[in-house]
Amino acid sequence: ELEPGAYDLIVAAAVFHHLREDEEWSRVFRKCYAALRPGGSIWISDLVTHSSREVQRTMWQRYGAYLEQLGGSAYREKVFAYIEGEDTPRSVTFQLDLLKTVGFRETEVLHKNGCFAAFGAVK
């Protein structure tokens, strides 16, 4: 439980990609918004997908090549299987739109590289 209006800052690192349905995403983002004081902010660093299928396919191929360099094709397949079974990342666009929908007045993308991004919003 997060006390309403009690926090200046929320940091979510590699957390939200575990949320499942859109309603759960919305509920969690609303809860974070309510927990922040006016002028407070949330900053997210996480695994993301892409709205464009072509971009998603390209970024996933690049991420797969990176994983293969780290630990071979078996490692790549293990990571992809884990993501498929356990994770439900959303695009940066989806998340920024949702942050605004729940009431955040300002959003900002700090960094995006392939399948990972850092971004946030101010209440």
Side-chain angles (χ1 to χ4, degrees):
E1 293 298 316
L2 299 174
E3 183 181 336
Y7 305 93
D8 293 315
L9 176 68
I10 295 173
V11 177
V15 175
F16 290 153
H17 71 272
H18 295 293
L19 299 174
R20 298 291 177 188
E21 303 299 322
D22 288 356
E23 176 50 39
E24 185 177 21
W25 283 84
S26 183
R27 187 174 62 250
V28 169
F29 278 39
R30 284 191 315 267
K31 190 173 206 173
C32 290
Y33 179 83
L36 289 167
R37 292 183 182 103
S41 61
I42 181 169
W43 297 100
I44 301 163
S45 176
D46 215 330
L47 175 68
V48 297
T49 58
H50 301 82
S51 300
S52 162
R53 286 186 186 186
E54 294 80 15
V55 173
Q56 177 64 24
R57 184 174 52 251
T58 299
M59 291 302 129
W60 214 237
Q61 288 171 345
R62 289 179 61 200
Y63 186 45
Y66 167 75
L67 292 171
E68 198 163 324
Q69 282 183 322
L70 286 178
S73 60
Y75 179 67
R76 180 195 68 223
E77 294 308 315
K78 180 180 177 179
V79 171
F80 280 169
Y82 180 85
I83 291 170
E84 180 70 27
E86 297 296 326
D87 300 335
T88 50
R90 297 293 196 274
S91 71
V92 173
T93 304
F94 172 89
Q95 294 181 64
L96 292 174
D97 288 347
L98 184 55
L99 288 165
K100 288 180 180 177
T101 297
V102 303
F104 286 94
R105 64 179 165 86
E106 190 177 328
T107 60
E108 185 69 50
V109 176
L110 302 176
H111 176 75
K112 186 168 184 298
N113 184 11
C115 297
F116 298 91
F119 54 96
V122 178
K123 182 173 182 178

